[in-house]
């Protein structure tokens, strides 16, 4: 028997091949089908006389098929089906390509309804008359003439129009599955699951709610004037007007935001019940450290450092986000926290998303802490290294030599032993740090860099994993500091980082000059290349960034990078030294390329964004970004931030061919703005929060993503989350919400 839990492969109308294709869309059950929402609608509700149809018009025409033929166009290797539909006013033609089966369905004498956008046809008059429909939606007339909804809303029949004569939903598709096919399936599921012939609405609606229970309590729905789940599903798939899908989307956005806020508050409440090591604030030590730095801390850095150090003093674990622009100095703030932690006799772990960034942090933190008698270690899947400033580890490392894992497997065991014994004060690495065999003696501070794309659920999971490796302090959890170099707009931080305290670095170091940024037309490339040569002759260096290619096309990207490196070396910059960095290089090769660039052995570094280029090269003064319109605005800002780190004037040149309107907006925004927070706001406006955060890691639907910047929705959902948890902390009285939350968490982990 069909139910919402029925796998799609067991639905009678879905073939095994179609079931496989549905998996690409995340559709595995009948319920998944019902929650596969349209992303837009075509308004085919207006029926127009055939004689008045003109090119460019979106409309519906109803009439009788008075002509029909299907021919094979041999030169174009396709079937063309053409019909003529006539009503009392005249006729209009419609054509379909490569759908020969239509000849059996669309026969002369049949009554039909067509919906679509008309285009010009040969012989069209000057006013656009005699237009034709191209690949139009259609329904047989006997279906289309039925009133597809009456009062109450659930009164509808198998013969209701699905593809014409209404607001027709357009769904996310995949190869081989069209929106028409998806609409057909969803209509079948609605009929099969929810229709009870002969029963009044007072009986039918409660029955529907038992089939697909609503997690939102009736009192909340009534207070917010939102439809129940069953009605919202009807509104979003079969709207009678343009208001209904808006109402439905508000309801689904509120539901998911409520789950986010409940999870956020649960995580925060649980966090506040935990205990952490209290790390005294040694003002004399920190002042001495700051005074010895080769630069002066900004007011924003001092404020953020103070907030963190005061948090570390508490037995309640810190859970803070350090949000700063590119080059605003997050690393030195984190180093101050690590120094204070080590001075109190505790350990710190720093996790970076890539080996390149982990290696960079290792070198930077080693330099900051070298005069304080502490040891800093690096552990990734490829490297183990120790900068030892306190005790000898003669059999592990001499002179801080880099040890590849495959050559010295014993080195990893020794490093882990020293970490477990507490001799390593600061361990830096990638996700390799949370492997089962890694244990700390007294880990008191965990710092996670560039994890702004993690959702609430993923961050909670990461914190739990870090807690497991704290062998010596099992009754206490580490203080937790998250860092991101992507400025987060305020409304987004309220929704997505509500369980974190926030420190913002919105001030740049005083010696930084604004980076001159220009969008370059292709005809001006030669002038830019001449400028680069002049900069190199003056002792400066240049980045050239090639556009991103999907991971599945990595080999194509590598070939393109190699070819461009060869072209620039031979045709443009012959006589100069060029380095190449791309995703297929081994870790040791990447390290060599970066080291040579840092040591000024190469003049130009050509790189793809697949490789993290977050290296500090104060001598680099020029950034060239090829096909810049293909990058996101925040990514462009991040790349631009690779230059301008020294005292010299720096430049960023954005090469773009024929950018789209959004591409032009991104380039113009970057040219006109240096403030990362303003750029992030504009990026959010252009791309939406889904792309800004990364939907694959969020666990949120597109509808919820669209509303992440809706401050009113966030406030209301948080208020209701507080009320629910205040009276029912374990959700024992809200079992449907608890089950919805469990599914949400599962989805977030999988994605």
């Amino acid at each position: 028997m069909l139910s919402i839990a029925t796998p799609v492969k067991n639905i009678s109308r879905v073939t095994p091949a179609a079931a496989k294709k549905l998996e690409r869309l995340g559709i595995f059950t009948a319920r998944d089908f019902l929650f596969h929402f349209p992303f837009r609608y075509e308004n085919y509700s207006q029926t127009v006389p055939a004689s008045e149809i003109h090119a460019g018009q979106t409309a519906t025409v109803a009439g009788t098929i008075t002509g029909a033929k299907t021919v094979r166009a041999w030169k174009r290797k396709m079937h063309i089906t053409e019909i003529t539909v006539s009503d009392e006013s005249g006729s209009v033609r419609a054509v379909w390509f490569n759908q020969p089966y239509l000849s059996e369905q669309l026969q002369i004498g049949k009554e039909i309804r067509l919906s679509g956008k008309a285009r010009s046809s040969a012989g069209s008059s000057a006013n656009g008359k005699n237009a034709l429909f191209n690949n139009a939606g259609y329904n047989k007339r006997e279906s289309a003439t039925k009133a597809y909804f009456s009062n109450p809303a659930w009164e509808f029949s198998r013969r209701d129009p699905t593809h014409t004569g209404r607001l027709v939903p357009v769904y996310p598709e995949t190869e081989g599955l069209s929106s028409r096919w998806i609409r057909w399936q969803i209509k079948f599921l609605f009929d099969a699951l929810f229709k009870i012939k002969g029963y009044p609405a007072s009986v039918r609606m409660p029955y529907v709610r038992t089939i697909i229970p609503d997690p939102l309590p009736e009192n909340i729905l009534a207070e917010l004037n939102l439809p129940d789940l069953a009605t919202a599903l009807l509104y979003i798939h079969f709207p009678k007007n343009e208001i209904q899908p808006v109402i439905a989307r508000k309801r689904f956005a509120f539901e998911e935001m409520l789950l986010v806020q409940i999870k956020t508050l649960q995580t925060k409440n649980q966090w506040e019940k935990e205990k952490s090591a209290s790390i005294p604030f040694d003002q004399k030590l920190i002042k001495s450290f700051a005074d010895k730095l080769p630069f002066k801390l900004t007011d924003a850095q001092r404020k953020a450092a103070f907030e963190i150090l005061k948090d570390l003093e508490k037995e309640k674990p810190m859970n803070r986000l350090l949000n700063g622009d590119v080059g605003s100095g997050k690393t030195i703030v984190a180093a101050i926290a690590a120094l204070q932690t080590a001075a109190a006799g505790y350990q710190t772990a720093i996790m970076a998303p890539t080996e390149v960034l982990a290696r960079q942090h290792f070198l930077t933190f080693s330099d900051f802490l070298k005069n304080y008698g502490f040891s800093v270690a690096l552990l990734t899947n490829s490297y183990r290294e120790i900068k030892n400033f306190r005790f000898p580890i003669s059999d592990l490392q001499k002179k801080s030599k880099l040890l590849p894992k495959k050559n010295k497997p014993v080195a990893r065991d020794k490093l882990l032993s020293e970490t477990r014994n507490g001799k390593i004060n600061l361990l830096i690495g990638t996700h390799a740090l949370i492997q089962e065999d890694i244990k700390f003696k007294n880990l008191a501070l965990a710092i996670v860099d560039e994890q702004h794309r993690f959702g609430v659920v993923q961050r909670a999971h990461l914190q739990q994993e870090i807690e497991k490796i704290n062998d010596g302090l099992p009754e206490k959890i580490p203080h937790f500091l998250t860092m991101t170099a992507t400025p987060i707009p305020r409304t987004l931080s309220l929704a997505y980082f509500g369980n974190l305290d926030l420190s913002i670095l919105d001030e740049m170091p005083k010696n930084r000059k604004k980076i001159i940024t220009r969008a370059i037309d292709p005809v001006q490339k030669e002038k830019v290349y001449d400028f680069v040569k002049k900069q190199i002759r003056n002792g400066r260096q240049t980045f050239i960034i090639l556009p991103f290619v999907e991971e599945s096309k990595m080999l194509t990207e590598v070939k393109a990078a190699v070819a461009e490196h060869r072209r620039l070396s031979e045709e443009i910059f012959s006589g100069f030294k060029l380095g190449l960095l791309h995703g297929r290089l081994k870790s040791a090769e990447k390290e060599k390329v970066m080291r040579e660039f840092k040591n000024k052995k190469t003049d130009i570094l050509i790189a793809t964004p697949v490789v993290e280029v977050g290296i500090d090269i104060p001598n680099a003064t020029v950034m060239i970004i090829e096909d810049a319109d293909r990058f996101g605005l925040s990514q462009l800002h991040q790349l631009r931030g690779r230059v301008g780190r020294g005292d010299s004037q720096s430049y960023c040149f954005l090469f773009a061919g024929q950018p789209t309107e959004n591409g032009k907006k991104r380039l113009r925004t970057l040219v006109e703005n240096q403030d990362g927070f303003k750029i992030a706001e504009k990026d959010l406006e252009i791309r939406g929060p889904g792309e800004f955060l990364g939907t694959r890691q969020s666990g949120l639907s597109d509808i919820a993503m669209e509303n992440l910047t809706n401050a009113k929705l966030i406030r209301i959902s948080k208020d209701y989350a507080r009320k629910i948890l205040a009276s029912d902390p374990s959700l024992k009285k809200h079992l449907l919400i608890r089950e919805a939350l469990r599914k949400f968490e599962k989805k977030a982990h999988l994605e």
Side-chain angles (χ1 to χ4, degrees):
M1 181 178 176
L2 185 66
S3 72
I4 62 170
T6 300
V8 290
K9 62 183 180 182
N10 295 337
I11 297 175
S12 60
R13 294 188 173 196
V14 179
T15 65
K20 284 287 186 184
K21 294 174 182 177
L22 286 171
E23 291 181 4
R24 300 179 203 153
L25 296 172
I27 300 175
F28 299 91
T29 66
R31 188 183 191 282
D32 294 335
F33 238 136
L34 297 180
F35 282 82
H36 185 67
F37 294 155
F39 66 90
R40 65 181 175 89
Y41 298 85
E42 296 285 2
N43 191 347
Y44 295 149
S45 58
Q46 182 184 12
T47 301
V48 177
S51 63
E52 296 182 12
I53 296 293
H54 58 81
Q57 183 179 19
T58 298
T60 295
V61 63
T64 303
I65 300 177
T66 54
K69 63 180 179 179
T70 297
V71 298
R72 177 73 182 268
W74 294 102
K75 288 185 178 180
R76 300 175 66 182
K77 296 182 180 180
M78 66 172 62
H79 288 86
I80 301 176
T81 300
E82 180 179 328
I83 66 170
T84 301
V85 176
S86 303
D87 62 12
E88 295 178 355
S89 70
S91 301
V92 66
R93 290 185 300 137
V95 297
W96 292 265
F97 300 96
N98 278 335
Q99 300 179 56
Y101 59 86
L102 292 180
S103 60
E104 297 181 6
Q105 300 181 24
L106 305 178
Q107 297 178 354
I108 293 176
K110 295 284 186 181
E111 292 190 350
I112 192 174
R113 187 184 291 264
L114 293 173
S115 291
K117 186 174 183 178
R119 66 173 178 82
S120 299
S121 64
S124 293
S125 60
N127 62 6
K129 297 294 181 63
N130 300 322
L132 61 78
F133 286 108
N134 191 0
N135 287 321
Y138 64 91
N139 275 109
K140 293 180 181 179
R141 184 76 179 278
E142 62 265 27
S143 301
T145 54
K146 298 291 182 181
Y148 58 97
F149 299 124
S150 60
N151 259 331
W154 280 91
E155 194 81 44
F156 68 100
S157 146
R158 287 175 183 270
R159 298 189 169 208
D160 300 327
T162 304
H163 314 295
T164 67
R166 67 182 185 100
L167 284 177
V168 177
V170 180
Y171 295 90
E173 302 172 356
T174 188
E175 186 176 359
L177 299 182
S178 66
S179 282
R180 181 183 177 88
W181 185 87
I182 293 171
R183 286 193 295 269
W184 180 61
Q185 293 291 347
I186 291 176
K187 179 64 164 55
F188 167 75
L189 288 175
F190 265 81
D191 282 332
L193 288 171
F194 301 137
K195 187 182 174 194
I196 314 175
K197 293 181 179 179
Y199 284 86
S202 60
V203 175
R204 182 168 57 253
M205 285 307 293
Y207 169 75
V208 169
R209 293 183 185 119
T210 64
I211 295 176
I212 184 162
D214 193 337
L216 295 184
E218 290 186 20
N219 67 305
I220 293 180
L221 292 173
E223 289 172 11
L224 296 177
N225 198 26
L226 293 174
D228 61 27
L229 177 58
T231 304
L233 285 171
L234 184 73
Y235 282 177
I236 208 162
H237 290 295
F238 300 96
K240 291 179 65 175
N241 53 53
E242 294 179 344
I243 300 299
Q244 288 184 346
V246 174
I247 294 172
R249 295 178 85 85
K250 283 184 178 179
R251 178 245 143 79
F252 289 118
F254 171 78
E255 179 182 337
E256 286 209 46
M257 191 56 63
L258 179 68
L259 295 178
V260 169
Q261 297 302 335
I262 288 175
K263 182 61 184 178
T264 295
L265 291 173
Q266 284 181 332
T267 301
K268 190 170 186 176
N269 293 341
Q270 182 60 39
W271 193 259
E272 290 178 345
K273 293 177 184 177
E274 301 286 353
K275 295 284 187 181
S276 286
S278 174
I279 302 171
F281 180 6
D282 188 339
Q283 294 186 359
K284 184 177 179 181
L285 171 69
I286 300 305
K287 185 178 185 306
S288 172
F289 175 78
D291 290 343
K292 292 176 182 177
L293 291 171
F295 51 85
K296 184 179 180 181
L297 294 176
T298 65
D299 291 340
Q301 286 173 323
R302 283 196 293 271
K303 179 182 177 183
F306 182 78
E307 290 171 340
I308 292 168
L309 293 170
K310 295 302 288 184
D311 277 356
L312 294 178
E313 283 190 309
K314 302 172 184 176
E315 288 191 346
K316 184 184 77 172
M318 174 178 67
N319 196 19
R320 184 170 289 276
L321 172 66
L322 179 59
N323 185 197
D325 202 352
V326 181
S328 60
K330 294 177 299 301
T331 305
I332 189 61
V333 174
I336 289 172
L339 171 63
Q340 182 66 87
T341 302
Y346 295 103
Q347 293 171 292
T348 298
I350 298 180
M351 185 184 298
T354 67
E355 290 190 349
V356 170
L357 196 52
R359 173 76 176 150
Q360 176 65 31
H361 280 330
F362 172 68
L363 296 174
T364 302
F365 278 84
S366 296
D367 186 52
F368 283 148
L369 302 178
K370 65 185 177 184
N371 297 321
Y372 291 86
F374 301 126
S375 56
V376 183
L378 172 68
L379 175 64
T380 70
N381 288 328
S382 301
Y383 300 130
R384 276 90 55 214
E385 187 173 353
I386 290 179
K387 292 277 189 179
N388 171 36
F389 307 116
R390 186 173 55 181
F391 60 90
I393 312 180
S394 56
D395 59 334
L396 172 61
Q397 178 174 325
K398 296 177 181 178
K399 300 179 182 178
S400 301
K401 183 181 178 183
L402 197 64
L403 300 175
K405 179 179 177 182
K406 63 182 180 180
N407 295 333
K408 297 281 186 180
V410 70
R412 187 176 191 276
D413 296 337
K414 185 66 176 178
L415 189 152
L416 296 187
S417 174
E418 301 295 347
T419 301
R420 192 177 298 113
N421 293 335
K423 292 182 178 179
I424 302 296
N425 302 107
L426 173 59
L427 181 60
I428 300 171
T430 57
H431 279 68
L433 293 188
I434 54 176
Q435 295 173 3
E436 290 185 2
D437 60 343
I438 297 175
K439 299 293 180 183
F440 287 77
K441 180 181 180 181
N442 54 7
L443 178 65
L445 174 62
I447 300 173
V448 180
D449 194 11
E450 292 299 347
Q451 293 301 331
H452 63 284
R453 292 182 183 273
F454 275 19
V456 172
V457 177
Q458 293 93 335
R459 288 197 303 274
H461 175 68
L462 186 60
Q463 289 169 346
Q464 293 165 5
E465 290 299 308
I466 290 175
E467 289 168 29
K468 293 177 184 177
I469 62 179
N470 202 17
D471 210 22
L473 294 173
E475 76 286 358
K476 295 182 179 180
I477 66 173
H479 294 282
F480 201 80
L481 178 65
T482 300
M483 301 195 301
T484 176
T486 298
I488 307 296
R490 185 67 184 174
T491 52
L492 209 55
S493 67
L494 288 173
Y496 222 52
F497 303 93
N499 63 325
L500 303 178
D501 294 313
L502 189 62
S503 291
I504 296 178
L505 298 181
D506 54 3
E507 183 181 2
M508 300 299 286
K510 302 298 182 186
N511 65 329
R512 295 289 173 87
K513 295 181 179 179
K514 287 187 177 181
I515 302 168
I516 296 174
T517 306
R518 297 284 184 268
I520 302 299
D521 190 89
V523 298
Q524 297 178 310
K525 276 189 174 184
E526 293 299 325
K527 291 183 179 179
V528 173
Y529 291 147
D530 289 340
F531 179 79
V532 168
K533 293 173 185 176
K534 183 178 180 181
Q535 286 283 304
I536 295 173
R537 292 189 183 104
N538 289 334
R540 305 304 176 194
Q541 293 168 282
T542 296
F543 288 98
I544 298 180
I545 305 298
L546 304 182
F548 176 80
V549 177
E550 291 83 355
E551 188 175 349
S552 60
K553 299 178 181 178
M554 176 72 81
L555 189 57
T556 302
E557 175 186 359
V558 171
K559 288 180 178 178
V562 171
E564 183 66 3
H565 177 265
R566 184 185 305 112
R567 185 186 75 84
L568 291 174
S569 299
E570 296 175 356
E571 300 177 16
I572 309 297
F573 297 111
S574 59
F576 297 95
K577 297 176 182 177
L578 280 67
L580 176 62
L581 200 60
H582 59 69
R584 284 295 178 92
L585 291 178
K586 295 179 180 178
S587 295
E589 294 172 322
K590 295 175 189 174
E591 174 65 27
K592 180 183 178 183
V593 171
M594 290 167 51
R595 186 170 59 248
E596 289 179 346
F597 191 56
K598 189 175 184 68
N599 294 336
K600 304 179 184 179
K601 292 183 178 180
T602 51
D603 304 308
I604 300 172
L605 179 62
I606 298 172
T608 62
V610 169
V611 179
E612 177 66 55
V613 293
I615 50 179
D616 191 10
I617 310 291
N619 192 53
T621 56
V622 180
M623 166 65 68
I624 293 176
I625 305 176
E626 292 276 0
D627 293 331
D629 54 301
R630 292 172 57 183
F631 291 84
L633 188 48
S634 290
Q635 190 178 25
L636 287 171
H637 181 57
Q638 291 279 336
L639 290 170
R640 176 172 65 178
R642 296 308 109 210
V643 296
R645 292 174 172 260
D647 296 330
S648 301
Q649 179 63 58
S650 292
Y651 307 83
C652 179
F653 299 107
L654 309 171
F655 288 178
Q658 296 179 324
T660 62
E661 281 305 310
N662 277 347
K664 291 177 182 177
K665 288 180 183 177
R666 290 195 296 273
L667 299 184
R668 187 163 55 247
T669 299
L670 197 72
V671 169
E672 295 173 355
N673 293 277
Q674 299 276 333
D675 186 326
F677 287 89
K678 290 181 180 178
I679 290 172
E681 291 280 2
K682 192 66 178 179
D683 195 20
L684 192 63
E685 176 188 321
I686 295 172
R687 294 197 295 162
E691 287 188 54
F692 185 91
L693 285 170
T695 54
R696 287 187 59 81
Q697 294 176 341
S698 72
L700 294 179
S701 71
D702 290 340
I703 287 179
M705 273 289 174
E706 292 168 6
N707 285 274
L708 275 179
T709 55
N710 186 332
K712 183 178 179 181
L713 174 67
I714 294 165
R715 177 178 52 79
I716 292 172
S717 61
K718 182 168 282 189
D719 287 344
Y720 275 101
R722 285 196 182 107
K723 291 177 184 177
I724 290 171
L725 290 177
S727 62
D728 186 17
S730 58
L731 299 177
K732 290 181 179 179
K733 301 174 186 176
H734 296 80
L735 295 179
L736 292 177
I737 288 182
R738 187 161 75 174
E739 176 61 16
L741 189 61
R742 185 192 66 79
K743 291 178 179 177
F744 170 71
E745 291 175 344
K746 182 179 179 182
K747 179 182 177 184
H749 277 303
L750 288 174
E751 295 187 356

